[in-house]
């Protein structure tokens, strides 16, 4: 796709951060912005995937914002050489039901990933000991409020300005895995009028990664569950206005999530959220904590959240 076509495809607007675009055999295109600056968080790359018919239609599209953006499309920049291939998932949706695909925005992580994705409101609800340990392991306090301000106040307005989007809550979604699952849920709770749905795959409820947290879960599990429960009771939106997908596998790191997830499921129910309607919580037997496992089940959360 040449420069003139690209300008037309993005509504006649270009931004200075645009550095590269690639297209595949289907005609879909990925536009990459490098080191996008922000007033609220560190500069980071952003990749925007446009469906194959974007340049040939006048359609407006829902938008899915995904964390760890280097892992969601091709394998060249992905952790361990494995990616979600959300582009293939979107193309499959479009083949199944015309008009069911979406623009996908991949927000790349940086060296402060753990601080960016750790929910500040949950850290505030921790006891002093757990908060100090979390900050020490993450090499500083949560920076998630700034990261979300970048997404909501800077990135989303640019995407809605430069691309043909459906900007409303009903067509705006946020998704990630592991700590990306945490920041997705936190984003929906903090901005329920911006995000209609959150996909939280292999949600890293433990927040910590030190070996003793898993070999001796009784050391931190009750306190961490209490912190999440306290936050959700205060900030989870009223049932019926948003959707949340949560899941985990049963192998390696995912095998430690069950007690947390069961407790959070009960919090959702106690707050009036109906499973299967407002939220979903799934266990995938034999699934691991990696991109291949998330790729294998990606259609499930997409269908639940986006229809």
């Amino acid at each position: 796709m040449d420069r003139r076509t690209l300008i037309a495809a993005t509504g006649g607007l270009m931004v200075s951060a645009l550095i590269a675009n690639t297209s595949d055999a289907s005609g879909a295109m990925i536009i990459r912005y490098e080191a996008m600056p922000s007033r609220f968080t560190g500069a980071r790359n952003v990749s925007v995937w446009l469906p194959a018919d974007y340049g040939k239609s006048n359609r407006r599209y829902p938008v899915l914002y995904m964390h760890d953006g280097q892992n969601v499309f091709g394998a060249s920049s992905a952790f361990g050489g494995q990616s979600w291939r959300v582009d293939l998932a979107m193309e499959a949706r479009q083949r199944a039901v015309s008009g069911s695909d979406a623009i996908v925005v991949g927000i790349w992580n940086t060296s402060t990933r753990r601080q960016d994705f750790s929910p500040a409101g949950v850290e505030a609800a921790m006891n002093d000991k757990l908060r100090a340990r979390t900050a020490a392991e993450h090499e500083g306090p949560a920076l998630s409020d700034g990261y979300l301000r970048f997404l909501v106040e800077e990135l989303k307005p640019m995407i809605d300005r430069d691309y043909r989007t459906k900007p409303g809550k009903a067509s705006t979604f946020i998704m990630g895995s592991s700590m990306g699952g945490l920041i997705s849920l936190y984003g929906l709770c903090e901005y329920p009028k911006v995000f209609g749905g959150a996909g939280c795959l292999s949600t890293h409820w433990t927040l910590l990664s030190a070996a003793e947290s898993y070999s001796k879960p009784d050391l931190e599990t009750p306190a961490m569950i209490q912190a999440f429960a306290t936050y959700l009771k205060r900030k989870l939106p009223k049932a019926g206005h948003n959707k949340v997908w949560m899941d985990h596998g049963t192998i390696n790191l995912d095998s430690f999530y069950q007690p947390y997830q069961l407790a959070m499921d009960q919090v959702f129910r106690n707050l009036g959220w109906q499973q299967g309607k407002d939220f979903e919580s799934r266990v995938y037997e034999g699934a691991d904590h990696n991109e291949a496992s998330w790729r294998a089940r990606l259609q499930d959360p997409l269908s639940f959240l986006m229809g």
Side-chain angles (χ1 to χ4, degrees):
M1 180 173 285
D2 63 25
R3 181 180 175 85
R4 288 181 302 169
T5 306
L6 179 59
I7 292 174
T10 57
L13 295 169
M14 298 286 285
V15 297
S16 59
L18 178 64
I19 66 155
N21 65 284
T22 59
S23 58
D24 60 24
S26 73
M29 181 171 63
I30 296 176
I31 301 170
R32 192 172 89 239
Y33 302 83
E34 188 168 272
M36 186 175 289
S38 171
R39 293 169 294 160
F40 308 116
T41 189
R44 66 194 65 232
N45 296 348
V46 172
S47 298
V48 180
W49 181 85
L50 301 177
D53 68 350
Y54 184 90
K56 300 176 290 185
S57 76
N58 293 318
R59 286 176 56 203
R60 289 191 171 271
Y61 297 78
V63 182
L64 172 64
Y65 292 89
M66 296 190 70
H67 313 289
D68 296 316
Q70 55 265 67
N71 298 337
V72 300
F73 301 117
S76 61
S77 60
F79 178 77
Q82 292 286 329
S83 80
W84 291 57
R85 292 311 307 264
V86 67
D87 50 330
L88 299 183
M90 283 296 169
E91 289 170 359
R93 285 176 58 84
Q94 175 67 1
R95 287 193 300 270
V97 179
S98 179
S100 62
D101 54 359
I103 293 171
V104 183
V105 179
I107 309 160
W108 292 39
N109 65 44
T110 70
S111 61
T112 59
R113 177 182 184 272
R114 299 186 72 186
Q115 290 175 270
D116 290 341
F117 291 179
S118 184
V122 175
E123 288 196 18
M126 293 177 180
N127 61 47
D128 292 343
K129 179 181 178 182
L130 184 57
R131 187 184 311 111
R133 182 178 172 188
T134 300
E137 187 171 314
H138 293 178
E139 300 182 346
L143 301 175
S144 49
D145 288 340
Y147 174 76
L148 289 176
R149 288 192 70 181
F150 159 67
L151 203 166
V152 171
E153 298 181 33
E154 296 174 329
L155 180 59
K156 185 180 187 299
M158 187 205 82
I159 297 297
D160 290 338
R161 180 195 71 209
D162 291 356
Y163 299 93
R164 294 194 315 276
T165 70
K166 295 179 178 179
K169 177 185 78 171
S171 300
T172 305
F173 307 91
I174 187 169
M175 181 180 289
S177 61
S178 194
M179 289 192 72
L182 291 179
I183 192 63
S184 297
L185 177 60
Y186 187 59
L188 182 138
C189 288
E190 293 295 308
Y191 296 95
K193 295 182 180 179
V194 174
F195 301 108
C200 314
L201 285 71
S202 295
T203 317
H204 190 60
W205 300 110
T206 66
L207 262 177
L208 303 171
S209 62
E212 60 265 27
S213 296
Y214 305 125
S215 61
K216 298 179 180 179
D218 57 296
L219 293 177
E220 304 292 1
T221 299
M224 192 68 80
I225 287 176
Q226 183 60 49
F228 274 102
T230 298
Y231 172 78
L232 288 174
K233 289 173 184 176
R234 187 172 71 248
K235 296 291 288 188
L236 190 68
K238 184 179 179 180
H241 300 280
N242 305 80
K243 285 188 173 185
V244 174
W245 172 281
M246 298 171 285
D247 69 29
H248 63 84
T250 58
I251 294 178
N252 295 323
L253 187 55
D254 273 32
S255 68
F256 295 97
Y257 295 152
Q258 185 178 31
Y260 298 85
Q261 188 62 65
L262 291 175
M264 295 308 107
D265 292 349
Q266 192 58 53
V267 171
F268 273 71
R269 294 190 194 98
N270 290 346
L271 293 173
W273 284 56
Q274 297 182 45
Q275 187 162 357
K277 178 184 177 183
D278 304 309
F279 82 100
E280 189 57 87
S281 180
R282 296 268 184 95
V283 179
Y284 289 85
E285 292 293 334
D288 205 340
H289 193 90
N290 56 36
E291 281 73 18
S293 292
W294 302 322
R295 181 174 66 242
R297 64 182 187 259
L298 181 55
Q299 288 292 355
D300 292 345
L302 290 177
S303 296
F304 178 75
L305 295 173
M306 302 176 71

